[in-house]
Amino acid sequence: MTTASGLPAIRESVQWAVSESPDGSSALVALAEAAVEHYALNYSKHPPAVLLEEVRATRNLLSVAVPGADHEIAVGLRRQVGWLSALLGNLAYHLDDRAGARTHLTLAGALGESTHEPALTAWASGALAMVATARKDWEHARGHAEYGLQHAPEGLRRAQLLGWALLPALAATGRTAAADDVVSESDEIMRSADELPGRFGYDRAEHRLHVAEAYLTLERFDRAAGVARESIAAAPAETPGWVAATLVLALAEARDAPDQAATRALGVLDLIPPPRLRATARERLTRLERLLSASVAGSATALSERLRALPASIRVDGTAA
């Protein structure tokens, strides 16, 4: 279990290691790998704005050691800078900074290729597809997803790129048959795959979330609700994944059970402090409010009032709220 004080402690250890080996060392590479693992495994335990500052500081510390390092050490450090850049891209996305996300993720993908780390190249491509999907740029979303699939190792990584990156683009463009094929293939992989924890991992809860969202996009509301419930059951309570699946379920219920949908969303707002609400959760809440705009249910009115009072995740001066 990490704590808030544990985050700066990781950065401080990296700082000490760099001061001991300003031209890099195998020990510094190992420490960088451990830092990346810590940030990835504990990604969901900290507000995105807080974690972003720590990951950025650690990346800057490593960059100091790269120029003077010998080739093998430099490659190892650059590979970890790539993974840290991938984290920064995902954090920027969760803070609704899509341009920043594209910048960090493009660097991550380039470092993945130059350091021969196909898992990094694949993951960064999947994240770029996610960012393109958010701006409804379906052509680039599909292109990034397909590029990621070319690099993704077989098994879990392929299922991740199929469900997380390619499926949303296919559903959004109405390619129902192709979307169904992707669901079938990725479901088959997930039945026997070993799940991986953390931000760079993938599990059944996340996979079912992506499938539920695809069904929601395709207006298969009953299927979306059923799969969203599977995701909720598989996700630890009150985590970002649980929040996402709960709000997808509310979106699926909004047409036929508006009071239930609004009450479900209000329950999320009761449990999750505003700094921990990712931009993706806020976007789902906004979509739900629009869907419930014609409802006369008191819960729908209460939801609108709560959303109007919700503080921004980042203040106008750029500091965390």
PDB file of all heavy atoms in Angstrom, residues 199-211:
ATOM      1  N   ARG A 199      -1.546   0.434 -14.146  1.00  0.00           N
ATOM      2  CA  ARG A 199      -1.943   1.253 -15.283  1.00  0.00           C
ATOM      3  C   ARG A 199      -1.577   0.611 -16.598  1.00  0.00           C
ATOM      4  O   ARG A 199      -2.296   0.743 -17.590  1.00  0.00           O
ATOM      5  CB  ARG A 199      -1.264   2.626 -15.158  1.00  0.00           C
ATOM      6  CG  ARG A 199      -1.627   3.617 -16.247  1.00  0.00           C
ATOM      7  CD  ARG A 199      -3.080   4.022 -16.180  1.00  0.00           C
ATOM      8  NE  ARG A 199      -3.966   3.159 -16.931  1.00  0.00           N
ATOM      9  CZ  ARG A 199      -5.286   3.214 -16.902  1.00  0.00           C
ATOM     10  NH1 ARG A 199      -5.903   4.076 -16.147  1.00  0.00           N
ATOM     11  NH2 ARG A 199      -6.023   2.406 -17.601  1.00  0.00           N
ATOM     12  N   PHE A 200      -0.471  -0.100 -16.653  1.00  0.00           N
ATOM     13  CA  PHE A 200      -0.063  -0.727 -17.907  1.00  0.00           C
ATOM     14  C   PHE A 200      -0.621  -2.135 -18.057  1.00  0.00           C
ATOM     15  O   PHE A 200      -0.395  -2.790 -19.063  1.00  0.00           O
ATOM     16  CB  PHE A 200       1.460  -0.749 -18.016  1.00  0.00           C
ATOM     17  CG  PHE A 200       2.076   0.630 -18.045  1.00  0.00           C
ATOM     18  CD1 PHE A 200       3.073   0.978 -17.155  1.00  0.00           C
ATOM     19  CD2 PHE A 200       1.640   1.576 -18.959  1.00  0.00           C
ATOM     20  CE1 PHE A 200       3.636   2.259 -17.179  1.00  0.00           C
ATOM     21  CE2 PHE A 200       2.191   2.854 -18.990  1.00  0.00           C
ATOM     22  CZ  PHE A 200       3.188   3.187 -18.098  1.00  0.00           C
ATOM     23  N   GLY A 201      -1.332  -2.594 -17.032  1.00  0.00           N
ATOM     24  CA  GLY A 201      -1.910  -3.924 -17.089  1.00  0.00           C
ATOM     25  C   GLY A 201      -3.301  -3.922 -17.709  1.00  0.00           C
ATOM     26  O   GLY A 201      -3.770  -2.920 -18.279  1.00  0.00           O
ATOM     27  N   TYR A 202      -3.956  -5.041 -17.589  1.00  0.00           N
ATOM     28  CA  TYR A 202      -5.293  -5.203 -18.157  1.00  0.00           C
ATOM     29  C   TYR A 202      -5.943  -6.360 -17.417  1.00  0.00           C
ATOM     30  O   TYR A 202      -5.288  -7.357 -17.097  1.00  0.00           O
ATOM     31  CB  TYR A 202      -5.190  -5.514 -19.650  1.00  0.00           C
ATOM     32  CG  TYR A 202      -6.453  -5.292 -20.457  1.00  0.00           C
ATOM     33  CD1 TYR A 202      -7.048  -4.037 -20.532  1.00  0.00           C
ATOM     34  CD2 TYR A 202      -7.050  -6.333 -21.170  1.00  0.00           C
ATOM     35  CE1 TYR A 202      -8.193  -3.823 -21.294  1.00  0.00           C
ATOM     36  CE2 TYR A 202      -8.184  -6.129 -21.938  1.00  0.00           C
ATOM     37  CZ  TYR A 202      -8.749  -4.871 -21.994  1.00  0.00           C
ATOM     38  OH  TYR A 202      -9.881  -4.657 -22.752  1.00  0.00           O
ATOM     39  N   ASP A 203      -7.225  -6.229 -17.125  1.00  0.00           N
ATOM     40  CA  ASP A 203      -7.930  -7.297 -16.427  1.00  0.00           C
ATOM     41  C   ASP A 203      -9.357  -7.398 -16.955  1.00  0.00           C
ATOM     42  O   ASP A 203      -9.791  -6.623 -17.808  1.00  0.00           O
ATOM     43  CB  ASP A 203      -7.900  -7.086 -14.911  1.00  0.00           C
ATOM     44  CG  ASP A 203      -8.504  -5.755 -14.473  1.00  0.00           C
ATOM     45  OD1 ASP A 203      -9.340  -5.191 -15.222  1.00  0.00           O
ATOM     46  OD2 ASP A 203      -8.147  -5.270 -13.389  1.00  0.00           O
ATOM     47  N   ARG A 204     -10.078  -8.361 -16.430  1.00  0.00           N
ATOM     48  CA  ARG A 204     -11.433  -8.619 -16.916  1.00  0.00           C
ATOM     49  C   ARG A 204     -12.377  -7.467 -16.596  1.00  0.00           C
ATOM     50  O   ARG A 204     -13.287  -7.169 -17.378  1.00  0.00           O
ATOM     51  CB  ARG A 204     -11.941  -9.946 -16.342  1.00  0.00           C
ATOM     52  CG  ARG A 204     -11.257 -11.152 -16.981  1.00  0.00           C
ATOM     53  CD  ARG A 204     -11.489 -12.459 -16.226  1.00  0.00           C
ATOM     54  NE  ARG A 204     -10.799 -13.571 -16.897  1.00  0.00           N
ATOM     55  CZ  ARG A 204      -9.490 -13.814 -16.782  1.00  0.00           C
ATOM     56  NH1 ARG A 204      -8.740 -13.025 -16.024  1.00  0.00           N
ATOM     57  NH2 ARG A 204      -8.929 -14.816 -17.415  1.00  0.00           N
ATOM     58  N   ALA A 205     -12.168  -6.812 -15.470  1.00  0.00           N
ATOM     59  CA  ALA A 205     -13.037  -5.678 -15.130  1.00  0.00           C
ATOM     60  C   ALA A 205     -12.910  -4.573 -16.160  1.00  0.00           C
ATOM     61  O   ALA A 205     -13.913  -4.015 -16.632  1.00  0.00           O
ATOM     62  CB  ALA A 205     -12.683  -5.151 -13.739  1.00  0.00           C
ATOM     63  N   GLU A 206     -11.666  -4.241 -16.536  1.00  0.00           N
ATOM     64  CA  GLU A 206     -11.474  -3.194 -17.540  1.00  0.00           C
ATOM     65  C   GLU A 206     -11.987  -3.644 -18.901  1.00  0.00           C
ATOM     66  O   GLU A 206     -12.594  -2.865 -19.647  1.00  0.00           O
ATOM     67  CB  GLU A 206      -9.998  -2.802 -17.629  1.00  0.00           C
ATOM     68  CG  GLU A 206      -9.768  -1.653 -18.604  1.00  0.00           C
ATOM     69  CD  GLU A 206      -8.311  -1.231 -18.725  1.00  0.00           C
ATOM     70  OE1 GLU A 206      -7.470  -1.739 -17.955  1.00  0.00           O
ATOM     71  OE2 GLU A 206      -8.025  -0.396 -19.607  1.00  0.00           O
ATOM     72  N   HIS A 207     -11.727  -4.905 -19.234  1.00  0.00           N
ATOM     73  CA  HIS A 207     -12.186  -5.397 -20.536  1.00  0.00           C
ATOM     74  C   HIS A 207     -13.704  -5.326 -20.647  1.00  0.00           C
ATOM     75  O   HIS A 207     -14.246  -4.868 -21.658  1.00  0.00           O
ATOM     76  CB  HIS A 207     -11.707  -6.832 -20.749  1.00  0.00           C
ATOM     77  CG  HIS A 207     -12.105  -7.385 -22.080  1.00  0.00           C
ATOM     78  ND1 HIS A 207     -11.678  -6.835 -23.270  1.00  0.00           N
ATOM     79  CD2 HIS A 207     -12.927  -8.415 -22.418  1.00  0.00           C
ATOM     80  CE1 HIS A 207     -12.196  -7.506 -24.287  1.00  0.00           C
ATOM     81  NE2 HIS A 207     -12.973  -8.467 -23.795  1.00  0.00           N
ATOM     82  N   ARG A 208     -14.407  -5.758 -19.595  1.00  0.00           N
ATOM     83  CA  ARG A 208     -15.861  -5.704 -19.644  1.00  0.00           C
ATOM     84  C   ARG A 208     -16.359  -4.266 -19.712  1.00  0.00           C
ATOM     85  O   ARG A 208     -17.398  -3.983 -20.331  1.00  0.00           O
ATOM     86  CB  ARG A 208     -16.478  -6.405 -18.425  1.00  0.00           C
ATOM     87  CG  ARG A 208     -16.117  -7.869 -18.261  1.00  0.00           C
ATOM     88  CD  ARG A 208     -16.138  -8.642 -19.563  1.00  0.00           C
ATOM     89  NE  ARG A 208     -17.472  -8.920 -20.063  1.00  0.00           N
ATOM     90  CZ  ARG A 208     -17.738  -9.309 -21.309  1.00  0.00           C
ATOM     91  NH1 ARG A 208     -16.775  -9.436 -22.195  1.00  0.00           N
ATOM     92  NH2 ARG A 208     -18.976  -9.555 -21.682  1.00  0.00           N
ATOM     93  N   LEU A 209     -15.627  -3.333 -19.108  1.00  0.00           N
ATOM     94  CA  LEU A 209     -15.993  -1.919 -19.213  1.00  0.00           C
ATOM     95  C   LEU A 209     -15.968  -1.464 -20.664  1.00  0.00           C
ATOM     96  O   LEU A 209     -16.909  -0.807 -21.140  1.00  0.00           O
ATOM     97  CB  LEU A 209     -15.030  -1.073 -18.379  1.00  0.00           C
ATOM     98  CG  LEU A 209     -15.124   0.443 -18.583  1.00  0.00           C
ATOM     99  CD1 LEU A 209     -16.478   0.971 -18.130  1.00  0.00           C
ATOM    100  CD2 LEU A 209     -13.993   1.146 -17.844  1.00  0.00           C
ATOM    101  N   HIS A 210     -14.894  -1.796 -21.388  1.00  0.00           N
ATOM    102  CA  HIS A 210     -14.793  -1.368 -22.782  1.00  0.00           C
ATOM    103  C   HIS A 210     -15.881  -2.013 -23.642  1.00  0.00           C
ATOM    104  O   HIS A 210     -16.439  -1.369 -24.540  1.00  0.00           O
ATOM    105  CB  HIS A 210     -13.406  -1.685 -23.340  1.00  0.00           C
ATOM    106  CG  HIS A 210     -12.297  -0.961 -22.640  1.00  0.00           C
ATOM    107  ND1 HIS A 210     -12.354   0.388 -22.379  1.00  0.00           N
ATOM    108  CD2 HIS A 210     -11.100  -1.391 -22.158  1.00  0.00           C
ATOM    109  CE1 HIS A 210     -11.246   0.760 -21.754  1.00  0.00           C
ATOM    110  NE2 HIS A 210     -10.482  -0.296 -21.612  1.00  0.00           N
ATOM    111  N   VAL A 211     -16.186  -3.276 -23.385  1.00  0.00           N
ATOM    112  CA  VAL A 211     -17.251  -3.945 -24.130  1.00  0.00           C
ATOM    113  C   VAL A 211     -18.595  -3.280 -23.815  1.00  0.00           C
ATOM    114  O   VAL A 211     -19.403  -3.027 -24.726  1.00  0.00           O
ATOM    115  CB  VAL A 211     -17.285  -5.449 -23.802  1.00  0.00           C
ATOM    116  CG1 VAL A 211     -18.499  -6.112 -24.455  1.00  0.00           C
ATOM    117  CG2 VAL A 211     -16.000  -6.132 -24.280  1.00  0.00           C
TER     118      VAL A 211
END
